[in-house]
Amino acid sequence: MAQVKTYSGKERNMYLTGLFGQNMIYNIVATGLYYYFQNVICLPAIALGWIFALARVWDAINDPIMGSIVDKTKSRWGKCRPYLIFSPVVICVITCVAFLNGNYASAKADGRSTAMIFIVAWAAISYVLWGMCYTVGDIPLWGIISRMSEDEKDRSTLISLARIVAAIGAGAVVISIIAVSQAVNGMLSKASDAQAGFIIIGIVFTVVASVLFQFAGIGTKEKVPVSSETKTMKESIALMWNCVPFRRVLISGILRSPMQLMMIVAMTLFTYYYCGGNLTTAFTDINKLVIVLIIAGGLFAGQFIAMGVCPSLLKRFDAKTVYNLFSGLSAIPMALIFVVYLIDPAGLDKIHWVIVEGILLLGAGAGLGGSSVCQSVMISDCIDYEEYHHGFRPDGVFFSGQSFITKFQAGIASIVSAYVYAAVGYTDVNIASMNAALENGANFAADYPDYAKAMWLLISIPPAIGMVISIIPTLKYELDRKTHDKILAELVEKHSRDAT
């Protein structure tokens, strides 16, 4: 029997370190920059929604193009590693540039129309450029997993660990970038200028994350042979749709798009509803700290637990079964989050409601974490499926599908939230006015009930609907465990023969 090639412990750890840094960068933008655009420089809600959404339209084109480029790459490092070695520095620079913008609310209050246009244009251009640069590193980072090992168990374990580390990287940023930025801002001479703290901390976090990201390129090796066949860009993109099991995964991920609302809205909701607009109070007030640990802890603990048990579940059950169960069952606690809000709209800071919401977020987080691991495993299996049937291994272009799913989800979530926010007046000067009122003792839940209701709705009902309908395409997913085990065994034998 041919010897199965796989990664070493050192390679695994270097890869996970790089992934941690890369996910810090993603959430510096997805959470930090989004919050900065919306609540600090106060871009109009509709403009912000369309900036994020249109950037994702471009990514819909850009991702498979990059995936095709990766699949055609042949170098002494392999086909994924070259991009992991050289992309972190570029991503670092453009991420920092995105924070160096003007203040839209101030420009509007002063009647400076040219400045308003410039600020919106800077935000749009810098964000689109960031998405393009990020893609260059993101697709090879996930694609290299299927190239680091021929062993299904090792791949599933690495994917599960990768998702856990990614969630930790997200958690390290989601709360801290807002809280630390506000703390730094409070120490500066211009305490009312919320931009200064965000710019300083945004850049510091980005540099640290980029250094960590570099480890993935330095410390990994590609073990699976590169296909001798190459495909044109048009053929590679067509392949994404023509491979039926991959198509099912892709459509399912698109339908699951509303789940991203939980990630982009949750921190804004938490900051205003529980902390009066100043997240630093969560670390100086013991009562608010307890709320942080229960609410945020529930969401992240649910993800970690589900990601941790996924490898064991995938040994016993088909990937589609585990995927569908996580997706379907998590819709129940997601929907109940808004039901609880309707029961006591201004009283969810009471400890019994905090515990209830923490439990519901635990279940919601489990759905997010479990489905994400299964999605990556299913994409990796589809790569084996395509090589087995057609002799071409599309690591890059298939994992570009995962990147596209993530970005498409964020784009749809941005549009949905933008129109809901616009409908209740949560935009530009109104946000600036609310921030000032909260500093003077106003209560978000009691004094701004429409804003609060919109945010609780966004993190609950649309994500629940998305998780339920995402099951439909994968009900007939073709690759059960027995079929994939047979495919992988034959591929390992083929790789061994080709190497001799």
Side-chain angles (χ1 to χ4, degrees):
M1 178 178 289
Q3 183 177 3
V4 178
K5 300 173 185 175
T6 193
Y7 51 83
S8 66
K10 179 181 177 181
E11 290 167 357
R12 175 200 62 210
N13 295 340
M14 293 286 276
Y15 173 80
L16 293 174
T17 300
L19 187 86
F20 179 87
Q22 189 249 15
N23 274 269
M24 282 185 66
I25 294 173
Y26 180 81
N27 285 281
I28 286 167
V29 173
T31 299
L33 187 67
Y34 187 90
Y35 184 94
Y36 175 74
F37 281 168
Q38 181 183 67
N39 300 294
V40 178
I41 67 172
C42 301
L43 294 181
I46 298 299
L48 180 61
W50 279 107
I51 286 171
F52 274 71
L54 291 175
R56 297 321 183 194
V57 171
W58 169 240
D59 282 334
I61 302 170
N62 189 37
D63 283 350
I65 290 175
M66 185 61 209
S68 177
I69 292 171
V70 169
D71 282 333
K72 290 194 284 187
T73 299
K74 294 181 180 180
S75 75
R76 61 190 179 94
W77 298 298
K79 67 179 185 178
C80 294
R81 278 190 68 207
Y83 304 99
L84 301 181
I85 292 171
F86 299 111
S87 65
V89 173
V90 179
I91 296 171
C92 177
V93 172
I94 194 63
T95 306
C96 293
V97 167
F99 281 94
L100 302 176
N101 205 337
N103 190 302
Y104 185 89
S106 297
K108 185 172 183 178
D110 295 339
R112 293 179 288 128
S113 56
T114 301
M116 291 161 58
I117 295 171
F118 179 81
I119 291 165
V120 172
W122 185 288
I125 294 170
S126 63
Y127 184 68
V128 170
L129 288 175
W130 176 86
M132 294 172 63
C133 295
Y134 185 83
T135 295
V136 175
D138 186 50
I139 291 171
L141 184 65
W142 286 98
I144 201 172
I145 290 179
S146 69
R147 305 202 51 73
M148 290 173 65
S149 177
E150 296 178 310
D151 185 272
E152 173 66 8
K153 178 183 175 182
D154 285 351
R155 278 194 212 163
S156 297
T157 300
L158 185 57
I159 287 172
S160 179
L161 288 172
R163 287 296 187 180
I164 291 172
V165 168
I168 294 173
V173 169
V174 166
I175 295 176
S176 61
I177 191 170
I178 298 172
V180 177
S181 297
Q182 290 177 336
V184 169
N185 180 66
M187 294 185 290
L188 299 175
S189 56
K190 293 184 178 181
S192 61
D193 182 7
Q195 277 188 271
F198 250 95
I199 291 171
I200 293 170
I201 297 305
I203 292 174
V204 170
F205 273 38
T206 298
V207 171
V208 172
S210 299
V211 171
L212 295 175
F213 184 12
Q214 195 73 61
F215 280 74
I218 295 171
T220 55
K221 293 182 180 179
E222 299 184 21
K223 305 294 178 69
V224 178
V226 177
S227 303
S228 58
E229 179 186 358
T230 60
K231 291 186 178 294
T232 65
M233 195 167 294
K234 181 179 180 180
E235 290 171 334
S236 295
I237 294 172
L239 187 64
M240 298 175 71
W241 187 255
N242 293 334
C243 180
V244 177
F246 179 78
R247 184 170 71 215
R248 298 188 194 281
V249 175
L250 191 65
I251 295 174
S252 177
I254 291 171
L255 294 176
R256 208 168 70 249
S257 293
M259 77 170 190
Q260 279 292 331
L261 285 163
M262 295 197 76
M263 306 311 294
I264 69 171
V265 174
M267 278 314 304
T268 300
L269 171 60
F270 187 86
T271 299
Y272 284 111
Y273 192 94
Y274 292 110
C275 299
N278 186 354
L279 195 56
T280 58
T281 60
F283 302 96
T284 58
D285 183 324
I286 186 63
N287 294 322
K288 292 180 179 178
L289 178 60
V290 170
I291 293 174
V292 169
L293 295 175
I294 295 174
I295 298 288
L299 180 61
F300 285 109
Q303 293 184 64
F304 297 148
I305 292 169
M307 291 170 180
V309 302
C310 258
S312 297
L313 292 175
L314 292 169
K315 291 177 185 176
R316 301 183 59 187
F317 305 103
D318 293 340
K320 77 168 184 180
T321 301
V322 181
Y323 177 84
N324 290 340
L325 282 174
F326 272 119
S327 299
L329 293 178
S330 66
I332 298 172
M334 286 180 184
L336 289 175
I337 289 171
F338 188 62
V339 174
V340 171
Y341 166 78
L342 293 176
I343 294 173
D344 193 359
L348 295 189
D349 55 349
K350 299 170 185 174
I351 190 61
H352 61 282
W353 286 130
V354 170
I355 293 172
V356 170
E357 291 288 3
I359 293 171
L360 294 177
L361 286 166
L362 183 76
L368 299 180
S371 62
S372 68
V373 171
C374 292
Q375 175 184 278
S376 296
V377 169
M378 292 160 79
I379 290 175
S380 183
D381 292 350
C382 288
I383 293 170
D384 294 330
Y385 175 91
E386 190 61 31
E387 183 184 9
Y388 178 80
H389 285 285
H390 300 108
F392 177 70
R393 190 169 184 84
D395 307 272
V397 74
F398 274 21
F399 269 102
S400 77
Q402 175 171 283
S403 179
F404 165 70
I405 288 171
T406 301
K407 294 172 184 178
F408 186 90
Q409 289 172 346
I412 293 297
S414 298
I415 283 291
V416 172
S417 62
Y419 279 96
V420 171
Y421 283 152
V424 298
Y426 184 78
T427 184
D428 51 83
V429 293
N430 289 340
I431 295 175
S433 174
M434 179 191 69
N435 288 338
L438 292 174
E439 287 181 9
N440 293 319
N443 181 279
F444 179 72
D447 298 326
Y448 299 93
D450 289 343
Y451 297 172
K453 186 175 183 178
M455 292 180 191
W456 282 107
L457 172 71
L458 287 169
I459 71 165
S460 175
I461 302 303
I465 293 171
M467 294 302 271
V468 171
I469 63 175
S470 71
I471 296 172
I472 298 171
T474 54
L475 289 173
K476 294 184 178 181
Y477 179 75
E478 290 79 0
L479 279 171
D480 55 45
R481 274 194 314 130
K482 183 178 179 180
T483 301
H484 182 253
D485 286 346
K486 175 179 178 294
I487 286 173
L488 196 57
E490 293 190 24
L491 286 178
V492 170
E493 290 289 342
K494 177 182 180 297
H495 295 162
S496 180
R497 290 195 304 270
D498 291 346
T500 58

